Amino acid sequence: MSSRLENANPVIFQRSGERLLTASEEDEDVHDPIDEREIFDLIRSINDPEHPLSLEELNVVEQLRVKVDDAGSTVGIEFTPTIPHCSMATLIGLSIKVKLLRSLPERFKIDVHITPGSHASEDAVNKQLADKERVAAALENSSLLEVVNQCLSTRNI
Amino acid sequence: MKEGLSLVQRLSAHPDSRCWFVSWSPNGTLLASCGGDKAIRIWGQEGDTWICKSVLEDGHQRTVRKVAWSPCGNYLASASFDATTCIWKKKNDDFESLTVLEGHENEVKCVAWAPSGNLLATCSRDKSVWVWEVDEEDEYECVTVVNSHTQDVKHVVWHPTQELLASASYDNNICIYKEDDDDWECRVTLEGHTSTVWSLSFDNTGKRLASCSDDRTVKIWKNCSPDDQQGDLSWKCVCTLSGYHGRTIYDVSWCRLTGALATACGDDTVRVFKEDETADPEQPVFSLVAQVAKAHDQDVNCVTWNPKEAGLLASCSDNGEIAIWRFQEES
């Protein structure tokens, strides 16, 4: 590993197992609202920008920090940067946001925040991620979009 | 008749894209829209329906964030994320690109014409506000660059009659500018919002200014300068509309004909407020008189009152749609 890594030896967490499908979920006639586990499955395998690890393995995302209200069409995610001065925090948050924007029905309002108290520039990062105009402008920047897409690409494990 | 907002027409204006902003021409007959598809569309009425009269493409390389008509209605300015502002000239029923204003370091967020039509203001994520002068030969020259904000500048708007400019920013503040010896400078900063100020709208007299914010409030600011001291700018917040909006308020429009105040919100709702005429002007009271929940399927980005037809309101949304509404007051 290169010495430029901000957090060279991160603690690695175990990945969760596959989700078990219930009988009602397999029944096409039953209304099946989007739940926390489904949202978590969408974001847990996002790649960390600097380690060959997923956000789940670094404990950046956890299922208990996912809030979904299917009827109210809202999703709230809290993510925890591995270190309080992580310069990648905005990029990680942006990747989570883009993944959900691309995956969920358009009716959903997606709020991505830093877990309170886990980052030195928490308010600034949260404000940036909540500003859809700046997010839209960022995603028109082809080099930034490429980095986001790399985080979102599926790795062969 | 019951008061409320009734839908006149819904238009798929910028399919598969965002519609960021809509703007009525000064005579109220045309509506310009712009969006994430880099295009500007001009809408006009044919019989009872609004149809697309022309599409202005190839002016910008990236999102067109806002558009503004000149006071004479012959020019349209478009602000783009590609860091430029395009000036379009109306020719019969079509528009041609006249000139491109360059200089901002990155995304241009807003453009506005002064009431005289001789001045144009632009603002950008580069934190600056630029004032441009227009001469008879359609030449544009930047006369001032003001750096009073510490963050991304979201909106600029001119006073309805005077050469007074206001800007709103990601730094939570509003700045008001006046010319002084050929130089434009910020004369007063309005502090009070606790998050990004997204938009501003003057009332018909220009004595009051409404602002809307990510903090989910609308504030009404009043110019308290004595009439005999025009240069002495003093503004104070006389009213805060709080508790009505579920998410960020992206736009506010103060109707110069009826005094009704409309808001565009990230909770998909269009709301209309009216002032209680019996209240103390120093402590005005506004009440919610109409709202359409799910006015659009996604965030409402803009609301704007028709300048000639009282009660006609246009809104647009992240889903690419425009909606035209009629606001009916109690009678």
Side-chain angles (χ1 to χ4, degrees), chain B residues 71 147 308:
Chain B
N147 286 294
K308 295 293 178 202

Side-chain angles (χ1 to χ4, degrees), chain B residues 175-190:
Chain B
C175 285
I176 297 185
Y177 312 80
K178 272 196 94 157
E179 193 185 3
D180 188 26
D181 274 349
D182 288 342
D183 215 16
W184 287 79
E185 57 179 42
C186 174
R187 299 291 287 272
V188 61
T189 302
L190 312 185

Side-chain angles (χ1 to χ4, degrees), chain B residues 19 22 34 42 46 79 83 98 129 137 143 170 180 190 207 219 225 227 240 261 280 299-300:
Chain B
C19 184
V22 282
C34 60
I42 311 292
E46 226 163 66
L98 188 69
V129 172
E137 272 92 54
V143 289
Y170 189 87
D180 188 26
L190 312 185
K207 284 201 162 65
K219 286 185 183 288
S225 312
D227 284 339
T240 300
L261 198 69
D280 175 5
D299 293 6
V300 188

Side-chain angles (χ1 to χ4, degrees), chain B residues 26 236-237 293:
Chain B
K236 68 171 181 190
C237 178

